[in-house]
Amino acid sequence: MTQAVGRHRMPEPAFAQPRTPREIYTVMAGLMLAMLLAMLDNMIVGTAMPTIVGELGGLAHLSWVVTAYALATAVATPIWAKLGDLWGRKGVFMASIVVFLIGSATSGLAQNMGELIGFRALQGIGAGGLMVGAMAIIGDLVPPRDRGRYQGLMAAVMPIAFVGGPLLGGFLTDNFSWRWAFYINIPLGVLALVVIWFTMKLPVRRREARIDWRGAGLLAVAISSLTLLTSWGGTEYAWGSWQIVGLGVLAVVAAVLFVLAERTVAEPILPLGLFSSRNFTAAVVLTFLAGFAMFGAVTFLPQYQQIVQGASATDSGLLLLPLMAGMLVTSLAGGQFVTRTGHYRWLLIIGSFVMAGGLFLLSTMGVGTSTLTSSLFMVVLGVGMGFLMQTTMLVVQNSVEMKDMGAASGAATLFRTIGGSLGVSLLGTLYATRLESSLADQLGAAAGGQVAGGQLTPAMLAQLPAPIREAFQAAVASGVGSAFLWASVVALVAIVAAVVIRQVALRSAADSVAAHAPEPVAV
């Protein structure tokens, strides 16, 4: 079985051969395009979401459009990571782009909520390969200590996606159709495929491919059962119903069987030995919680902005800029700090405190909260997440041997996505429950249920009678506040995980050359 590295690392394979900056920049060009593809999708769809769910099925389905994507990404991530380890990252990375584009095209063609959820799941399968592939490729090419100088390139994608994505999503929704939020991925994806095909040369190891399909299946059952439990509990079914209890039992049994299977299989999809590293385990917990916070913010903030604050889809994109700016600035500053000093522990501790504080501040928003106040709250959350997003992945990759780089990157991406999936489903349940309860108190059970379950887009809201419109806005504000309050409680665990992490010297190029192994074949 693959074993992780403890605090005293044994010699390991080198980074193939020290590459010139020009060679690395060439490879990074393809990665930047692919990452832009994934980042743009999340940002574009976020601002279009209120209109999408309003047209196809109502607010009760909001979390499922996001959850289907996140859940599929979580299940697919370790499979893509293992395929990259076994068959080479370039071909597998390109295959994930193709799957993502097929999912994008079919999502744009969806005629009802069921189709959209299914096609979003297909899109999520491809997205799992995009995320883990890019991170693993960077880990293969650049030692952790030297990675900060190249993170500026990856960070350059962020302002384009974070600023342009919400604006583009809002513009397309207001002036064309929400379907173009998915179609826009196609030309960008084709360009990424062309660039990657002609420019990317990666080190690979020729090995016989053995995929742990049993482990993948058990993992999918465990994650799916847990996501359905958190999404359906208290809304579709009572918490004590046989459906919810059955899902809980199924999730536990599948998880236990998965652990047992991973202990015996030759090529585990998630090597359990990785978790013998204290830093690796704590960093994975942090990635889980960062995903929880980010997916929740991107999902529920547009609801608040468009329904409560009366912003258009385009304006909603602009109103997300404080969150994205906070993430961008601290991510860049944190990367430079780690490169120059080699220290990262305090960044994680500070980021955890600030993220929890930002979520709590967002929970205090109400109908009368000004745009300036909510923007300042978003800056706080963005600053906290920015300190965590890149630094946690660096700790993960520095805690394992080079041969486990893909599996480790996949594990971190997997848990970040699981955090997002569970976060959206659980927070979505809290949001929907609070929304319906508030509407029932103000309008009565029958009228409140009809308003909550109807096909109501932000544009339709202005046409409602004032008492109903005001009651609905108050209910949405209450639901969003409840979701963020519970998210802030969960985020407190991040502080504990950050404190647990120890400061360990980052690998440098010199460390890798000292442990040099025969150069792999370049393809």
Side-chain angles (χ1 to χ4, degrees):
M1 178 183 294
T2 303
Q3 296 295 322
V5 180
R7 198 164 30 155
H8 303 288
R9 187 183 296 107
M10 297 297 291
E12 61 186 53
F15 289 83
Q17 189 178 49
R19 291 174 177 256
T20 65
R22 180 178 180 181
E23 291 173 323
I24 295 176
Y25 288 141
T26 302
V27 175
M28 294 287 282
L31 294 182
M32 289 168 65
L33 278 173
M35 290 298 290
L36 179 62
L37 185 69
M39 289 181 182
L40 269 178
D41 181 74
N42 284 330
M43 297 300 104
I44 290 175
V45 174
T47 50
M49 198 66 70
T51 299
I52 294 174
V53 298
E55 289 187 9
L56 296 184
L59 290 172
H61 299 282
L62 169 67
S63 64
W64 271 108
V65 178
V66 180
T67 298
Y69 180 91
L71 178 60
T73 303
V75 172
T77 291
I79 298 176
W80 287 114
K82 180 55 64 175
L83 289 174
D85 282 344
L86 297 176
W87 293 343
R89 305 205 198 282
K90 178 179 178 179
V92 171
F93 191 52
M94 293 180 68
S96 69
I97 295 177
V98 172
V99 174
F100 181 85
L101 294 182
I102 294 173
S104 298
T106 51
S107 293
L109 295 172
Q111 298 301 309
N112 55 62
M113 185 59 69
E115 289 182 2
L116 179 60
I117 290 171
F119 294 144
R120 280 284 283 170
L122 178 61
Q123 191 183 26
I125 291 174
L130 290 179
M131 296 297 183
V132 71
M135 294 301 172
I137 289 168
I138 294 173
D140 276 347
L141 294 178
V142 186
R145 184 60 188 265
D146 301 331
R147 205 166 296 155
R149 74 179 66 174
Y150 299 104
Q151 289 213 354
L153 285 175
M154 299 304 294
V157 176
M158 293 183 183
I160 299 175
F162 288 176
V163 176
L167 292 176
L168 183 58
F171 176 80
L172 293 173
T173 302
D174 285 340
N175 296 282
F176 297 95
S177 167
W178 60 263
R179 299 181 186 278
W180 279 97
F182 299 103
Y183 295 151
I184 197 67
N185 292 327
I186 298 174
L188 184 62
V190 172
L191 178 60
L193 285 173
V194 172
V195 172
I196 290 169
W197 175 261
F198 285 106
T199 66
M200 189 173 290
K201 300 292 183 181
L202 298 177
V204 298
R205 297 178 179 85
R206 302 292 188 183
R207 292 199 293 167
E208 179 184 355
R210 288 175 291 179
I211 307 300
D212 178 22
W213 296 114
R214 180 178 59 171
L218 290 170
L219 181 63
V221 171
I223 297 174
S224 301
S225 300
L226 188 57
T227 302
L228 290 172
L229 184 152
T230 56
S231 180
W232 285 348
T235 54
E236 297 289 334
Y237 305 101
W239 284 106
S241 65
W242 69 265
Q243 292 93 339
I244 299 302
V245 173
L247 285 171
V249 172
L250 181 60
V252 172
V253 171
V256 171
L257 292 176
F258 172 74
V259 171
L260 294 175
E262 297 303 276
R263 289 181 177 274
T264 58
V265 70
E267 293 282 357
I269 196 168
L270 181 61
L272 300 181
L274 296 174
F275 292 92
S276 65
S277 168
R278 173 176 173 174
N279 275 12
F280 176 88
T281 303
V284 163
V285 172
L286 280 173
T287 63
F288 174 91
L289 296 170
F292 192 102
M294 174 145 187
F295 273 78
V298 172
T299 301
F300 294 106
L301 280 173
Q303 288 293 123
Y304 176 82
Q305 293 163 342
Q306 294 183 35
I307 294 175
V308 179
Q309 294 184 324
S312 66
T314 303
D315 291 340
S316 177
L318 285 170
L319 292 175
L320 283 175
L321 293 185
L323 173 70
M324 306 310 173
M327 288 180 59
L328 175 62
V329 171
T330 52
S331 179
L332 285 171
Q336 290 299 316
F337 177 81
V338 172
T339 298
R340 293 177 181 178
T341 68
H343 294 283
Y344 50 81
R345 184 170 179 265
W346 279 104
L347 291 182
L348 299 175
I349 294 174
I350 294 171
S352 300
F353 270 106
V354 176
M355 181 178 74
L359 289 169
F360 175 76
L361 289 174
L362 289 172
S363 74
T364 65
M365 295 188 305
V367 175
T369 302
S370 68
T371 301
L372 176 61
T373 300
S374 61
S375 296
L376 292 175
F377 293 167
M378 282 187 276
V379 170
V380 176
L381 177 60
V383 167
M385 290 193 298
F387 277 132
L388 297 178
M389 298 295 280
Q390 297 291 341
T391 311
T392 50
M393 181 61 75
L394 185 148
V395 174
V396 164
Q397 294 181 339
N398 191 61
S399 301
V400 302
E401 297 180 7
M402 282 299 301
K403 64 186 177 65
D404 291 327
M405 188 68 68
S409 301
T413 308
L414 166 68
F415 279 91
R416 176 177 295 172
T417 310
I418 293 176
S421 177
L422 293 180
V424 171
S425 62
L426 181 58
L427 297 179
T429 298
L430 294 169
Y431 168 75
T433 301
R434 184 61 182 165
L435 175 73
E436 293 175 5
S437 175
S438 179
L439 285 173
D441 291 341
Q442 298 182 68
L443 302 177
Q450 184 176 7
V451 173
Q455 291 181 287
L456 183 63
T457 66
M460 299 176 185
L461 184 64
Q463 302 173 7
L464 294 177
I468 297 178
R469 181 176 66 251
E470 292 170 1
F472 189 70
Q473 290 174 326
V476 169
S478 178
V480 170
S482 177
F484 279 119
L485 178 61
W486 282 103
S488 68
V489 174
V490 174
L492 293 176
V493 180
I495 300 172
V496 178
V499 171
V500 166
I501 290 178
R502 296 175 178 175
Q503 180 67 44
V504 177
L506 296 174
R507 269 193 304 264
S508 66
D511 297 330
S512 297
V513 172
H516 186 69
E519 183 179 353
V521 179
V523 297

